[in-house]
Amino acid sequence: MPDTGAPFLPDRRRVLLGGLGLVVGAAGLTLTVPSLARAAEADGDPSVVDDIQTIIGRLQQRFLAQGDQVRLANGIFLARTSEALSYAASLRQDGSWQNVDYADTTSSANGRVWSPYHALYRMMAMAHAYRDPEAEGHGRPELIEALNRALLHWDEAKPTCTNWWETEIGKSMAMGRVSVFVGDELSAPAREVAYAHNTGRRDPVGANGSWRTENYLYEAVAKRAADDIHRGYVTMSETVAVDLSGGIKEAVQVDSSFWAHGAQLYSEGYGMALFTIVAAWADVARGTSFDFSPEDIDAVAFYILDGTRWLIRGEIGMLYLGYRPPNTIDGVTSYAADFLEPLDRMARADEVRSAQYTRLADNIRGRSRGNGVTGHKYFWRSEFSSHLRDGYGVFTRFNSPRMKGSEYRSTFRPSVGNEIAWNASGATSIQVTNQEYGDLVPAFDWSHYPGVTAPYAKVTSASSPDNAGSFTGGVSDGRYGAGVLTLDRYGTKGLKSYFSFDEELVVLGTAISSTSAHAVHTTVNQGAARSNVTVGGRPVRPGTDSAPVTASWAYNDEIGYVFPEGGPLKVSHKKQRGSWIGREPVERDAFTLFFDHGTAPQDAGYAYIVLPGANPGRVRAYAAGPVVRTLRNDERVQAVTHPRLRLTMAVFHRPGVLDLGGGRALLVDQPALVILDRTDPSPVVSVANPDRPGLQLSVTLTSRGRTHRGEFTLGTGADLGRTVTRPLA
């Protein structure tokens, strides 16, 4: 039976409050530090010595299992275990390598390399080879002798960098790895150098905190310091604590998303790094006296299974990641591949939920299209919508003034423009095969994000303005959901609403205007073109560029599109040329379907229905008689109804009345997103408002002389924008 994705931590969740790890339970707030008590009891216990040795062995296996290339957190490969003996042979007598500039201060951000990293990577490679039974350098004393000299020279040269990460975290990681692998084999002076240049410390805050704490743990483990190991584990568990403050903190949020660099969704990237580190330490300590408590394991599951899992269906549903090449891990080339190792580790560390972690990992590996979870989740803190069914997934990213929509992280290329400028303006990833977009990047047209209304022009600034439309958010009852983007960027305004059902995604737009000198497009989709590209059942020839569409439906790959109201539609089926930074240009066959609103539109609109996973015959039939009906699409209300599901979804931009037909009407006295479910005798309403804290809202349903009414008090702080669901009386 598919997992509905219902939160499994209703009563006991790790939270972040005043920097302490706390558990919320029926008895209130209590500090959970059983590890400290266990440390005191275990002092001098031989079993603890065995536990530490178990951790050391598992840490060594963790890194040796990554293969010949030595990996650090920055993804740069500068050394191989198989070449360890050559590194030792090329080391000069003073402990330096001739081709390493120890005085270099270049930041390793954006593909550049800090030259001293070459020395650090070679030291790690030699340490790995010494312990790797399959390596030519296994147990070779010349590797230890070379490491002694290389470490002493590092201490004399004291390399530094303009970027704090290299000197504080990257260097410490390398020193920690060396000490864990061969600390007991090094000379006393060299061993002390490794410890001295590992500046790790206990830090409970986010991804950087997990890196610092990991480095602290490396040294504690290498020293066999049981008390310090316990303290490090307590801090490591706090890095995935939930921030209940409602402020802007780098932490797991109450909706199980993750923020970094301000109010910015980073469940991938920094959030992935955090998960990787915490999962690794959970795995290496399992079954020992240092392992995570059940509450700590619950906290990781809340973050990943109730959170990050909803962002992944084979691929990560965040289209902007295509600005860079994906990594290849365990034979899988994917933007989600980085999650494989920590998912495998949590499958071991969390036996209760092992099957859920494994199912997600199998999905990323391509063994299944779905990830095992179905339903609708709106991340109200991070303004991200996920709609998952067995046969497809739809992901939509919004951006209000409360959130930072993009952070440009690649070298700016005038010929391409800012690739990620529009990634949070309603960008919608529609995934059935999970190869819809991966087969197109790097030749993606960054001015045609699916789901986005924007001037068709390159963004030529590295820092783009955030969306000024405050009434931007979503509502979800757990199975269905709606979202709204009040667009106000680059002189372009509009009201955009998205409604997700079992088989359909319905998207409405109205009040679109622009002062841009460029034509404004609403992109229905842009993806890899397949051999079945058709409009109205007729093939679209390769080479077609912006041809008018007069039919009521279109098809590509395994996705159908229906246009119940027509409109200024255009279709392209052509080769697009592009490249990733530093890579050779490539050509890809692209399918693009978009509304062309023209230059300086006034009060333009659109309506379309997406049918993911439907075959062409089903799409043709649906176009002849759409099941979902649009009730209104204007500046006051955007609403649709699904008679078969007895479900109505509406975005009330202003208070008002929505005529439901059949003598029924829905009255809402404040701006709100509303789901009306009439499957039971007592109608159930889900409501949300994204930008008015503590809003008091009244909903009234009149039906053939009967009146049902409900009063709703909406959230504040961390619960601003959160859905409230209850029956109408």
Side-chain angles (χ1 to χ4, degrees), residues 1 12 36 641:
M1 179 176 294
R12 306 191 74 192
L36 297 183
T641 188

Side-chain angles (χ1 to χ4, degrees), residues 314-315 324-338 340 364-366 434-435 438-439 580 583:
E315 259 297 1
R324 60 166 176 82
N327 290 327
T328 299
I329 296 174
D330 195 20
V332 178
T333 301
S334 165
Y335 294 100
D338 293 280
L340 289 173
I364 295 171
R365 290 186 168 99
N434 305 321
Q435 297 297 321
D439 287 346
W580 286 306
R583 301 289 184 90

Side-chain angles (χ1 to χ4, degrees), residues 399-478:
N399 172 221
S400 76
R402 297 173 295 279
M403 286 290 295
K404 186 176 181 180
S406 64
E407 180 176 54
Y408 200 64
R409 293 174 294 168
S410 67
T411 303
F412 182 65
R413 296 182 291 173
S415 61
V416 176
N418 186 333
E419 300 105 315
I420 70 174
W422 290 99
N423 88 97
S425 295
T428 304
S429 173
I430 307 163
Q431 297 177 199
V432 178
T433 68
N434 305 321
Q435 297 297 321
E436 287 83 2
Y437 307 103
D439 287 346
L440 177 58
V441 293
F444 199 78
D445 181 345
W446 299 104
S447 298
H448 266 161
Y449 269 98
V452 168
T453 299
Y456 187 63
K458 290 184 296 185
V459 175
T460 57
S461 60
S463 178
S464 57
D466 290 331
N467 183 40
S470 181
F471 190 68
T472 295
V475 63
S476 173
D477 65 3

